Amino acid sequence: MNNVVVVGSQWGDEGKGKIVDWLSEQADVIVRFQGGHNAGHTLTINGKVYKLNLLPSGIVRKGTLSIIGNGVVIDPWALIDEMKRISEQGIEISPTNLMIAENAPLILPIHSRLDIIREELKGKNKIGTTGRGIGPAYEDKVARRAIRVCDLFDEKIIIQRVDNLLTHYNPLFKGMGQEAINRDELINQIKDIASKITPFVGVAWKRLDEAHKKGEKILFEGAQGVLLDIDHGTYPFVTSSNTHAGQASAGAGVGADKLGFILGITKAYTTRVGSGPFPTELFDEVGEGLAKRGHEFGTVTERPRRCGWFDAVLVRQVNKTMGVSGMALMKLDVLDGIEELKICVGYDIDGKEYDHYPASTELQAKAKPIYETMSGWSESTYGCRDKSKLPKNAIAYINRIEELVETPVAVLSTSPERDDTILIQDPFK
C-alpha cells in the first residue's frame, strides 16, 4: 500500500503542513478529510511562507490534485478568500488541481454567529473555540439539516434548506435574546457564493477510487491533533470532529484497507492553544524560551501557545488508538541549549500512579506528571539533514522517546524549511 495518512499526535500545531508538503513531492493526490478553516497549516518554501486553512497543503505543488473531502465543513466565503490570497502568492488554483467533495457540508454565517454567542455566554468556562462556526456546522450535519455543497447547484433546494434551518435557529436565537436571522439575506448570500464554488465540485470518492486503481499515491491530510478528537481527546476541550487517523476513511470516502502508512506528526515538546488540561505545561523561563524559539503562536488565532515538556504517556496512548506506523518528530532544534530535559512517563493522581491519561475530566485536572530527566545538548541541530551528525544527547533523547511511546521515528525535522528534514523510513515505501 503506497498511501499515507498524516495526523497530529498531540493537541495540533505539530507541523503537519511542512510534512504534508514535503511528502507531496511523491504524492499524486492529497485530500483533507476533517475539520474546517479552524485548521492552520504553515508552509515555508524557499523562504516564502504560505498559510493554509481549508486548502490541502499539496496545493502549492504543481501536478498534484488537492481534494477537500466530505468530512470537512466548508465555509465557502473563507475558502474563496483563501484561494484569492494564495493565488496572489503565485500559486495557480483551478478545477484541474482542486476538487471539492459534493457531499461536504457548508458553514454559514449563522454558524459562526452562534459559535461566538455560545462562547460569550460560557464566560470563564469557555472551550476555546476559534468562533468560526465549526461546531454548529457539524451539529447541523449530525442533525440532518445541513446545507451541502451539492445543494448549491439548485436555487429551489437552497431556499428549502434555509427554511428548514430557520425553524431551528430562529427559536434558538430568540431564546438567547438575539435577533432572528434575515431569511432573504441569507438566501442571497448563499446564491451569490454558489457560482464561485460549483466549478470545483466533483465526486471525490470516485476520483480517489480511480487513483487507487491507477496505482497513484494518495496522501491524506488531517487537521488539529488527536488530543482534540471528539472521542479520544481531552473532552470537552476538543474540536467537533474526529481527528483520528480512521476518519481518513470516512472523511474522504475510501475503504479503511486503503489508508496505508499512518504517520503521527509529533513535536519534540508539547504545546496547546486555548483552554483545557495540560499536565506538563511550564510556567517558567524554560516554557517562555520554548515559546520564543519555537515561534509558538496559532496560525489561525495568533494566540500564544502554551508550552510544556514532552508527554510520552499521551503520545503513546494516541499512537496506540490510531495504529501509528511511525512518527515525524518535529522542532528538535527548539530544544537546543537546554541543559536538562524532562519527559513525562506517568501521572500521579491522588497518590495513585497512572500509565495512561484517564477520560474523566475530574481526574485529568488532578494529574501531576511523573518526570524522567535527561541531559540536553549545547550544539545546534538547526538545519541538520543527517541523523549521524546530531549531538549524542539529541540522539539519546530521540531513542528514549521511541522506547517510551513504542513507536519508531520515521522522519526528523530540524527547521521550518522543507529540505531540513531527515528521512529514516519513507512512509510511501
Side-chain angles (χ1 to χ4, degrees):
M1 183 64 61
N2 56 359
N3 300 331
V4 177
V5 182
V6 171
V7 285
S9 294
Q10 294 154 311
W11 278 292
D13 307 308
E14 301 96 348
K16 293 181 291 297
K18 170 187 171 173
I19 295 301
V20 169
D21 173 64
W22 181 72
L23 288 171
S24 68
E25 187 172 14
Q26 299 183 62
D28 299 294
V29 183
I30 298 171
V31 54
R32 269 282 308 273
F33 59 84
Q34 50 76 217
H37 63 310
N38 55 342
H41 293 175
T42 301
L43 312 181
T44 304
I45 303 169
N46 297 324
K48 198 168 186 177
V49 178
Y50 302 91
K51 294 188 177 183
L52 306 176
N53 303 120
L54 274 168
L55 291 171
S57 296
I59 200 71
V60 301
R61 189 177 291 281
K62 290 183 179 180
T64 301
L65 173 64
S66 290
I67 296 178
I68 301 176
N70 60 273
V72 178
V73 283
I74 300 171
D75 182 324
W77 297 274
L79 177 58
I80 294 301
D81 286 345
E82 184 179 342
M83 290 167 64
K84 180 181 178 182
R85 172 168 49 82
I86 297 302
S87 294
E88 289 172 349
Q89 290 187 272
I91 302 299
E92 184 179 343
I93 302 175
S94 73
T96 60
N97 68 342
L98 176 65
M99 177 184 286
I100 301 171
E102 62 177 356
N103 51 337
L106 298 177
I107 298 176
L108 305 174
I110 53 177
H111 295 131
S112 55
R113 179 182 169 189
L114 178 60
D115 211 354
I116 293 168
I117 291 170
R118 281 176 170 172
E119 278 289 88
E120 290 174 349
L121 291 175
K122 288 174 183 173
K124 65 179 182 179
N125 296 317
K126 291 180 180 180
I127 296 296
T129 173
T130 58
R132 298 195 170 197
I134 312 298
Y138 273 119
E139 289 177 35
D140 281 352
K141 176 182 178 179
V142 174
R144 300 178 294 278
R145 57 174 173 259
I147 296 179
R148 300 189 299 169
V149 170
C150 55
D151 298 329
L152 297 178
F153 289 92
D154 190 326
E155 291 188 8
K156 290 182 181 179
I157 295 296
I158 291 173
I159 294 170
Q160 290 174 9
R161 297 285 189 267
V162 168
D163 285 341
N164 183 53
L165 269 181
L166 296 188
T167 62
H168 170 75
Y169 277 100
N170 277 338
L172 181 62
F173 281 126
K174 183 180 179 180
M176 294 189 292
Q178 302 292 322
E179 290 185 10
I181 302 296
N182 186 312
R183 172 186 181 271
D184 293 340
E185 181 181 338
L186 179 58
I187 290 172
N188 288 332
Q189 285 178 312
I190 297 171
K191 286 164 61 176
D192 288 344
I193 200 69
S195 62
K196 299 177 182 179
I197 296 294
T198 50
F200 297 91
V201 178
V203 186
W205 70 265
K206 192 170 183 292
R207 177 63 181 86
L208 289 167
D209 184 59
E210 291 168 357
H212 178 71
K213 288 177 179 177
K214 293 177 183 177
E216 293 179 340
K217 295 179 179 179
I218 304 170
L219 185 58
F220 300 91
E221 179 182 13
Q224 290 90 39
V226 175
L227 292 175
L228 294 175
D229 184 276
I230 192 70
D231 288 304
H232 298 283
T234 49
Y235 190 91
F237 300 97
V238 293
T239 193
S240 300
S241 63
N242 284 111
T243 59
H244 193 280
Q247 177 62 17
S249 176
V254 301
D257 61 328
K258 297 180 177 64
L259 295 185
F261 193 100
I262 311 298
L263 182 64
I265 314 302
T266 312
K267 200 174 283 186
Y269 49 102
T270 311
T271 62
R272 177 166 199 170
V273 172
S275 306
F278 186 170
T280 65
E281 184 172 8
L282 293 168
F283 301 95
D284 55 12
E285 293 180 358
V286 176
E288 292 175 3
L290 290 174
K292 185 176 180 179
R293 291 191 301 276
H295 305 289
E296 297 296 354
F297 293 90
T299 302
V300 172
T301 62
E302 297 187 352
R303 291 179 292 185
R305 296 175 187 142
R306 301 152 63 189
C307 296
W309 295 119
F310 186 86
D311 193 326
V313 182
L314 279 175
V315 175
R316 181 175 64 241
Q317 188 165 322
V318 162
N319 288 359
K320 286 184 177 295
T321 63
M322 290 198 296
V324 170
S325 311
M327 296 183 294
L329 193 64
M330 312 297 290
K331 289 195 169 184
L332 183 70
D333 55 292
V334 176
L335 300 179
D336 293 353
I338 300 178
E339 186 175 339
E340 185 178 86
L341 302 173
K342 293 182 180 180
I343 301 176
C344 177
V345 297
Y347 306 114
D348 181 321
I349 303 177
D350 291 333
K352 180 180 177 181
E353 186 172 331
Y354 282 70
D355 64 356
H356 69 283
Y357 202 47
S360 165
T361 304
E362 288 69 30
L363 292 179
Q364 289 179 359
K366 297 178 181 179
K368 297 178 181 179
I370 298 171
Y371 285 121
E372 182 176 292
T373 301
M374 297 187 70
S375 297
W377 55 90
S378 58
E379 307 94 320
S380 173
T381 64
Y382 188 89
C384 183
R385 300 181 183 181
D386 184 341
K387 184 180 178 182
S388 66
K389 294 182 180 179
L390 290 172
K392 180 179 67 174
N393 286 352
I395 293 175
Y397 182 74
I398 295 165
N399 292 342
R400 186 56 179 149
I401 285 176
E402 290 181 314
E403 292 172 359
L404 290 169
V405 305
E406 300 176 21
T407 311
V409 171
V411 180
L412 277 168
S413 175
T414 56
S415 97
E417 285 291 339
R418 173 192 282 172
D419 294 331
D420 291 339
T421 308
I422 301 170
L423 179 63
I424 300 169
Q425 179 186 0
D426 190 340
F428 274 117
K429 296 179 180 177

